[in-house]
């Protein structure tokens, strides 16, 4: 579903990713392990089209998307600090991607409700995002990125910064949620246990040609 | 407080912890000290702002004066013109300002600070200088038209858009728009569905400030709009100073107060914002000079320099070619018959400098005391806050008019004193200074003073060590800014000035009103000097108050 071939990125002449190759099969959840500064976030951003690679190719669902802008790549992303739209409520955030794809309001409602249910926030659709707890915000971010059924879902340290209890609970939920939707996912983390608990396959970024972190 | 130059300082978040509210007060400054801090600014506000405005209101409601408003000639036309030119000025300013607001706040390139300075400095220039510059740069056929005036309003106020909208724009995380893009939004829809909703409070706030400044425009309106297109403010001054109809002027200025209050209320209703928390990296993106954006930014900055460069050029280039007459032949001013009082440039310069020095000293002192009082106040701080903000919600001409009719009877017959004009300037400048200082004070963590107290500092000592240190650099900048406000003040000065107290802006205004090549050259020369002085003060005080470098 997702192929990277020879992805190379340098910032100010300093190599961050050097010829990274990676294949993720449809429905597979791959965890990418690497320390801080190893370029794992950058790799996700290259897949999303938020950072331009200096060399290499990105293929999503058999289509070369290297030259496509982010909004045409059909990738979803959960950002490390959620990046919920502060001017929209929970339902508005989850519906955003559906609106962008031109899905009529009549179909958006049920899908939003379905996702709220899936992430365990049923009935919180009208809440302002500023009033969510850290764990709730993370669930909304996940629901928002899954709503338009992206071909590939990217998760950037999705459980970092949560307190231990919440972290452990969400860790067990996350794999279940992704599989419930049959999502193809690429997740980056620095936590071995987290990677093993969620993913079908764990990959060390260092082995792919990233800088050993 | 709905508007004003607070505007031009980056909004500071209130970083006091929530627990602050219930904190014990024993560590606070004693009541005696707090009263002593608040007394001077409170007295000054009561004497020089509240009383004159009250006198104005009383004069208007007295007897049949109020009814006269319906019989003033051209009232409807003046109101309508003032409103539509302000609305159009606002639209033009917003449209022109949004591009530099983006370029200097979201992108990083070599020369970015210079571009920002070029676009922002006009805001601090005296309106007479800007008016002279637009007379110099625009073709004769534009002189005396609303279009010249609207162009000048945009030139003056683009800074408001760049700073107010830019301050908000600068903290929108790159990943937030990135998130919208991963959800399928192209550039247009990112702007429509994410950026504009987030910027809306800042856009509304900037638009309100620009509208109010354009609505109460006096210098640009009088010198560029010409006698055929008076704004309300110009008409007030004409009644008060040329027709001797002070009562009519007072009626008009109260009418203007009502219009301004309505605008501020409407804007406050639109802006009622919920504080949105934005997290994430919002660092400006680097752009090199091989990209197009730095060139667009440079062209914008250069365009803002054109009127001033042309002004300086036209001061040495008259109808008959290159000449130094505008800079040298001062003894000729007004010697020819029928020109009225001659312009005494030396005296005007001395008056202006003396006024600027006194106004700056007074307003920095009052603003510091007032800001500290409001910062430390328990219950009545808002009273001082509102009182000090009054001049922002009125207009310079209204303040001047209020002072004119208040201070003309013994024992307060101060109209002939030299210090009444500087005091007026200080009252106009102080609210801006207070806003800026409050921003600084509110961004000092409350726990710093608590920490000082645990280390043995008395409340007074803790205040000095924490707030005192935080204010030091901003105060230097404010001294400069209040001096430029005084140096360029035109509205209040026009109303209050009597013979022998003419300031530089007034001298320039009079020279611009005269026919002939020499007065024009002289006006341009003086405007060049005044503009250069003000720009230098702004640049130097901006440099002196730059934040101390932070360790990363």
């Amino acid at each position: 579903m997702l192929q990277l071939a020879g992805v190379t990125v340098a910032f100010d002449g300093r190599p961050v990713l050097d010829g990274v190759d990676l294949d993720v099969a449809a429905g597979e959840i791959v965890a990418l392990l690497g320390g801080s500064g190893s370029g794992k976030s950058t790799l996700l951003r290259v897949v999303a089209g938020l950072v331009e690679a200096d060399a290499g190719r990105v293929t999503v669902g058999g289509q070369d998307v290297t030259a496509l802008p982010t909004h045409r790549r059909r990738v979803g992303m959960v950002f490390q600090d959620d990046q919920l739209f502060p001017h929209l409520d929970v339902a508005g955030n989850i519906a955003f991607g559906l609106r962008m794809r031109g899905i009529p309001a009549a179909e958006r409602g049920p899908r939003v409700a379905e996702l709220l249910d899936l992430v365990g926030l049923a009935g919180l659709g009208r809440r302002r995002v500023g009033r969510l707890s850290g764990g709730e915000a993370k669930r909304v971010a996940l629901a928002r990125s899954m709503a338009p059924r992206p071909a590939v879902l990217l998760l950037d340290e999705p459980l970092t910064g949560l307190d231990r209890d919440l972290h452990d609970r969400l860790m067990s939920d996350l794999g279940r949620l992704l599989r419930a939707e049959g999502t193809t996912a690429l997740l980056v983390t620095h936590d071995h246990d987290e990677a093993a608990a969620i993913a079908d396959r764990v990959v060390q970024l260092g082995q792919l040609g990233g800088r050993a972190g | 407080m709905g508007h004003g130059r607070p505007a031009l300082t980056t909004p500071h978040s209130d970083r006091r912890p929530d627990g602050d509210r219930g904190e014990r007060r024993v560590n606070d400054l004693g009541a005696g000290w707090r009263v002593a801090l608040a007394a001077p600014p409170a007295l000054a506000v009561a004497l020089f702002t509240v009383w004159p405005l009250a006198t104005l209101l009383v004069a208007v409601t007295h007897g049949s004066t109020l009814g006269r408003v319906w019989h003033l000639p051209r009232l409807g036309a003046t109101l309508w013109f003032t409103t539509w030119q302000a609305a159009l000025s606002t639209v033009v300013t917003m449209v022109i300002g949004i591009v530099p607001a983006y370029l200097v706040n979201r992108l990083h390139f070599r020369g970015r600070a210079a571009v920002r300075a070029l676009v922002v400095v006009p805001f601090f220039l005296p309106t007479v200088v800007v008016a002279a510059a637009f007379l110099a740069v625009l073709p004769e056929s534009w002189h005396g038209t609303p279009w010249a005036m609207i162009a000048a309003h945009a030139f003056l106020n683009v800074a408001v858009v760049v700073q107010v909208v830019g301050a908000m724009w600068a903290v929108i995380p790159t990943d937030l728009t990135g998130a919208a893009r991963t959800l399928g939004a192209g550039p247009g829809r990112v702007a429509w569905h994410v950026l504009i909703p987030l910027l809306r409070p800042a856009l509304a706030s900037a638009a309100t400030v620009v509208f109010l400044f354009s609505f109460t425009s006096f210098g640009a309106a009088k010198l560029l709009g010409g006698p055929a297109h008076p704004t309300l403010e110009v008409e007030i001054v004409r009644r008060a100073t040329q027709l001797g109809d002070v009562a009519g002027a007072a009626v008009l200025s109260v009418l203007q107060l009502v219009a301004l209050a309505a605008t501020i209320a409407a804007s406050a209703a639109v802006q009622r914002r919920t504080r949105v928390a934005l997290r994430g990296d919002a660092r400006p993106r680097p752009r090199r000079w091989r990209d197009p954006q730095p060139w667009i930014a440079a062209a914008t900055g250069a365009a803002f320099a054109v009127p001033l460069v042309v002004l300086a050029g036209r001061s040495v280039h008259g109808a008959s070619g290159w000449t130094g007459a505008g800079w040298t032949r001062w003894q000729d001013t007004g010697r020819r018959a029928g020109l009225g009082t001659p312009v005494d440039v030396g005296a005007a310069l001395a008056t202006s400098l003396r006024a600027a020095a006194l106004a700056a000293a007074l307003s920095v002192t009052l603003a510091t005391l007032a800001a500290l009082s409001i910062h430390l106040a328990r219950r009545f701080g808002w009273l001082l806050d509102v009182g000090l903000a009054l001049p922002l919600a009125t207009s310079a001409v209204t303040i001047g008019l209020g002072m004119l009719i208040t201070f003309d009877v013994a024992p307060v017959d101060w109209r002939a004193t030299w210090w009444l004009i500087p005091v007026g300037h200080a009252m106009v400048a102080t609210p801006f200074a207070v806003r800026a200082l409050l921003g600084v004070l509110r961004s000092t963590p409350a726990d710093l003073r608590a920490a000082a107290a645990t280390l043995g500092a008395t409340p007074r000592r803790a205040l000095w060590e924490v707030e005192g240190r935080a204010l030091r650099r901003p105060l230097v900048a404010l001294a400069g800014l209040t001096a430029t406000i005084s140096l360029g003040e035109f509205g209040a000065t026009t109303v209050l000035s009597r013979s022998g107290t003419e300031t530089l802006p007034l001298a320039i205004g009079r020279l611009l009103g005269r026919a002939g090549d020499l007065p024009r050259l002289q006006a341009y020369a003086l405007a060049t000097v005044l503009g250069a002085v003000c720009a230098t003060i702004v640049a130097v005080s901006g440099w002196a108050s730059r934040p101390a470098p932070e360790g990363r």
Side-chain angles (χ1 to χ4, degrees):
Chain A
M1 185 57 84
L2 169 68
Q3 282 96 38
L4 305 184
V7 169
T8 301
V9 177
F11 290 145
D12 299 325
R14 192 175 54 89
V16 178
L17 298 170
D18 192 5
V20 174
D21 300 314
L22 179 67
D23 269 13
V24 181
E28 192 184 20
I29 303 173
V30 173
L32 207 53
L33 266 176
S36 60
S38 61
K40 50 191 195 310
S41 258
T42 306
L43 188 69
L44 290 193
R45 281 155 196 275
V46 168
V47 176
L50 296 170
V51 167
E52 210 175 321
D54 298 321
R57 258 199 359 261
V58 180
T59 314
V60 173
Q63 186 192 7
D64 185 346
V65 299
T66 316
L68 282 187
T70 302
H71 64 281
R72 297 222 224 105
R73 290 191 176 197
R74 295 191 305 126
V75 296
M77 183 151 171
V78 177
F79 290 82
Q80 195 178 336
D81 34 21
D82 304 334
Q83 301 299 350
L84 299 180
F85 301 121
H87 58 290
L88 300 175
D89 60 12
V90 167
N93 267 277
I94 297 176
F96 189 92
L98 303 173
R99 275 204 292 156
M100 294 304 120
R101 277 171 178 64
I103 293 167
E107 293 169 41
R108 293 201 297 258
R111 176 72 177 148
V112 169
E114 182 190 354
L115 278 155
L116 278 171
D117 215 24
L118 185 70
V119 297
L121 295 177
L124 289 192
R126 296 266 77 87
R127 185 165 293 188
R128 302 195 58 87
V129 297
R131 315 227 5 225
L132 297 173
S133 72
E136 288 167 344
K138 191 60 75 182
R139 288 163 192 268
V140 174
L142 185 66
R144 179 180 72 173
S145 58
M146 288 167 71
R149 296 199 173 85
V152 177
L153 183 62
L154 308 166
L155 301 109
D156 190 357
E157 302 262 8
L159 302 179
T160 303
L162 300 174
D163 63 47
R164 161 132 251 123
D165 236 26
L166 196 58
H167 175 276
D168 293 350
R169 221 162 353 115
L170 267 180
M171 186 164 75
S172 62
D173 283 355
L174 189 54
R176 185 178 56 76
L177 292 176
L178 293 173
R179 286 190 184 86
E181 286 265 319
T183 315
T184 307
L186 178 60
L187 142 103
V188 305
T189 174
H190 62 272
D191 182 338
H192 287 262
D193 298 339
E194 194 177 300
I198 300 168
D200 304 317
R201 180 155 65 97
V202 178
V203 181
Q204 290 278 350
L205 185 55
Q207 295 162 358
L208 296 177
R211 278 151 46 91
Chain B
M1 232 316 294
H3 75 293
R5 270 169 243 213
L8 286 186
T9 61
T10 322
H12 296 272
S13 59
D14 197 331
R15 275 191 229 142
R16 288 159 153 242
D18 293 333
D20 192 40
R21 230 170 274 264
E23 224 163 73
R24 280 160 62 84
R25 301 288 200 174
V26 287
N27 289 328
D28 275 9
L29 213 55
W33 279 101
R34 281 186 284 123
V35 169
L37 278 180
L43 280 177
V45 165
L47 186 57
F48 293 113
T49 305
V50 177
W51 188 21
L53 287 178
T55 312
L56 200 62
L57 284 175
V58 170
V60 167
T61 47
H62 184 267
S64 59
T65 315
L66 197 55
R68 283 199 45 207
V69 71
W70 310 118
H71 307 297
L72 291 174
R74 295 195 301 171
L75 175 69
T78 306
L79 258 179
W80 168 237
F81 173 69
T82 309
T83 308
W84 78 251
Q85 68 78 21
L88 190 56
S89 296
T90 308
V91 172
V92 172
T93 309
M94 300 297 289
V95 169
I96 293 178
I98 209 75
V99 171
Y102 167 76
L103 292 171
V104 303
N105 289 294
R106 295 304 299 185
L107 302 180
H108 185 81
F109 49 90
R110 236 178 248 272
R112 179 171 79 138
V115 171
R116 183 193 290 274
L118 283 171
V119 177
V120 169
V121 160
F123 182 79
F124 298 98
L125 292 178
T127 50
V128 276
V129 171
V130 172
F134 273 77
L135 287 175
V137 81
L138 291 175
E140 290 271 352
S141 59
W142 276 51
H143 296 184
T145 65
W147 321 120
M149 171 178 149
I150 288 165
H153 289 165
F155 180 75
L156 280 162
N157 292 324
V158 156
V160 176
V161 184
V162 171
Q163 299 296 77
V164 175
V165 179
M168 182 67 211
W169 211 335
V171 297
I172 295 179
T174 324
D175 276 348
L176 194 64
T177 46
R181 286 158 67 199
T182 63
L183 291 165
R189 307 181 85 181
V190 169
W192 181 252
H193 290 288
V194 179
L195 278 180
I196 291 177
L198 287 175
L199 291 175
R200 207 192 52 167
L203 289 168
S205 155
T208 309
V209 173
V210 175
F211 182 85
L212 291 173
F213 284 172
S214 306
F215 193 90
T216 59
S217 164
F218 174 64
K222 181 177 155 75
L223 298 170
L224 292 171
H229 305 100
T231 58
L232 207 44
E233 194 90 334
V234 172
E235 187 63 17
I236 293 169
V237 172
R238 194 176 70 98
R239 297 223 151 253
T241 63
Q242 285 170 26
L243 306 182
D245 177 15
V246 173
V251 172
L252 283 180
S253 56
V254 170
L255 191 65
Q256 172 161 280
L257 280 181
V258 172
L260 295 179
T263 308
I264 293 172
S267 153
V270 174
Q271 281 182 59
R272 191 159 302 153
R273 73 161 87 185
T274 46
R275 196 176 285 241
V276 296
L278 296 169
R279 280 181 305 146
D281 189 0
R283 254 177 304 174
R285 300 213 164 168
R287 283 287 184 276
R288 296 185 193 286
W289 279 85
R290 56 166 190 266
D291 298 320
Q293 292 91 340
W295 292 98
I296 299 172
T300 311
F304 273 78
V306 165
L308 302 172
V309 172
V310 172
L311 171 69
R314 290 286 302 272
S315 76
V316 289
H317 192 272
S320 45
W322 298 99
T323 165
W327 291 81
T328 50
R329 289 178 51 196
W330 289 113
Q331 65 280 16
D332 286 6
T333 51
R335 283 285 164 80
R336 283 181 297 153
L339 281 182
T341 347
V343 173
D344 185 342
V345 175
L349 185 66
T351 306
S352 269
L353 290 178
R354 193 174 55 188
L358 180 62
L362 198 58
S363 107
V364 165
T365 310
L366 292 177
T368 308
L369 296 176
L372 282 173
S373 302
I374 295 168
H375 182 56
L376 299 173
R378 289 175 193 174
R379 251 170 304 166
F380 300 111
W382 66 270
L383 254 178
L384 191 55
D385 202 5
V386 169
L388 278 162
L390 273 180
L392 288 179
T394 61
S395 73
V397 162
T398 306
I399 298 284
L401 189 60
M403 290 175 90
L404 185 76
I405 62 175
T406 305
F407 302 122
D408 71 337
V409 286
V412 290
D413 185 8
W414 294 331
R415 280 192 302 166
T417 60
W418 68 272
W419 50 262
L420 194 60
I421 285 175
V423 166
H425 291 177
M427 298 324 286
V428 172
T430 303
F432 298 125
V434 173
R435 308 277 109 199
L437 292 180
L438 272 177
V440 174
L441 289 177
R442 285 184 177 145
S443 67
T444 56
D447 275 349
L448 271 188
R449 240 184 314 139
T454 63
L455 294 167
T458 62
R460 245 181 307 150
R461 185 64 193 271
L463 191 66
W464 173 253
E465 295 289 340
V466 177
E467 273 80 0
R469 268 171 211 282
L471 287 183
R472 227 161 280 178
R473 278 164 186 269
L475 278 180
V476 176
L478 277 182
L481 295 187
T482 48
T484 59
I485 291 178
S486 167
L487 280 174
E489 214 294 319
F490 194 46
T493 318
T494 303
V495 178
L496 286 174
S497 178
R498 329 181 92 200
S499 61
T501 56
E502 185 169 72
T503 60
L504 269 188
L506 259 49
I508 296 169
R510 275 213 293 148
L511 286 168
L512 284 175
R514 286 187 185 171
D517 205 32
L518 185 58
R520 197 38 74 91
L521 287 169
Q522 288 170 328
Y524 289 163
L526 273 183
T528 304
V529 172
L530 186 58
V533 168
C534 288
T536 307
I537 294 177
V538 170
V540 168
S541 48
W543 174 81
S545 67
R546 73 205 180 284
E550 285 177 45
R552 293 209 103 190

